Amino acid sequence: MILSNGLEIKNITLKMLYKMFQEIGATHNQINTTTIGDIFEVDLVETTYPLFHISTSTTNFAQHTITYNFQLIVMDLVSKDESNENDVLSDTLETIGDIISIIKNQTATFELIPNFETEVGISPNVACEPFTERFDNEVSGWTANISIEVSFNASQCDGSVAYDI
């Protein structure tokens, strides 16, 4: 069992990882808005850019691990004449790199995930893909696909474990 905020939990939850991503977004100087979920439900017109978006693609249970697969998107507005598109692509790729580094090096203190460095692992290679004019707004940026692996306690749950974390 893992002790988090005084509560005993069985496994690191998806909600805990979402809170980790939100903390990264809230503290990063190049991110103004952080969203989670379906990107097509985000109001990209009213968003304050740069935007960091997290969506969950799949989750895999193995005997002793859970692997969460995420798509991370960092995007910013491009001028109508596209004169700053290269700057936007460069800056958003740097931001994606920062996010990956923070997770890999555990340089942030994630209070919700105790013993982060021993409980959480990120895939050693992260594929990133640029995009331009992909959404309704004039934005460009990068998408990164990452896998985060956590320990999985497969013991039977007795129903007394708290899940509001």
Side-chain angles (χ1 to χ4, degrees):
M1 293 290 184
I2 300 167
L3 190 63
S4 177
N5 290 338
L7 298 174
E8 196 174 85
I9 61 171
K10 189 173 153 179
N11 297 299
I12 291 174
T13 66
L14 180 61
K15 188 174 179 180
M16 292 168 77
L17 294 174
Y18 284 159
K19 286 185 179 185
M20 175 195 71
F21 285 125
Q22 287 173 319
E23 183 179 326
I24 291 169
T27 58
H28 195 284
N29 292 335
Q30 293 297 105
I31 297 171
N32 286 328
T33 303
T34 302
T35 56
I36 297 172
D38 185 344
I39 188 64
F40 296 105
E41 293 179 5
V42 177
D43 185 348
L44 297 177
V45 175
E46 296 298 319
T47 295
T48 304
Y49 289 94
L51 168 69
F52 171 38
H53 181 79
I54 304 97
S55 64
T56 308
S57 55
T58 62
T59 300
N60 301 307
F61 286 86
Q63 185 169 355
H64 298 291
T65 61
I66 302 172
T67 303
Y68 298 98
N69 297 295
F70 297 98
Q71 184 177 66
L72 308 180
I73 303 172
V74 175
M75 66 179 85
D76 201 356
L77 286 172
V78 175
S79 302
K80 291 203 183 288
D81 67 359
E82 299 180 2
S83 61
N84 69 332
E85 187 169 74
N86 288 338
D87 292 333
V88 167
L89 287 171
S90 180
D91 292 347
T92 54
L93 181 59
E94 287 295 316
T95 302
I96 286 272
D98 290 347
I99 293 165
I100 293 166
S101 294
I102 290 167
I103 297 168
K104 281 189 174 196
N105 297 310
Q106 298 87 28
T107 56
T109 303
F110 302 123
E111 293 178 14
L112 286 171
I113 304 176
N115 303 319
F116 185 90
E117 61 281 349
T118 59
E119 296 291 334
V120 178
I122 184 173
S123 50
N125 298 311
V126 179
C128 298
E129 183 177 342
F131 62 86
T132 58
E133 303 171 16
R134 180 172 163 194
F135 300 102
D136 291 338
N137 216 340
E138 295 181 15
V139 295
S140 291
W142 287 82
T143 300
N145 295 302
I146 68 164
S147 298
I148 295 178
E149 186 175 276
V150 300
S151 298
F152 174 53
N153 178 349
S155 64
Q156 186 174 6
C157 180
D158 66 5
S160 65
V161 179
Y163 287 104
D164 190 27
I165 294 186

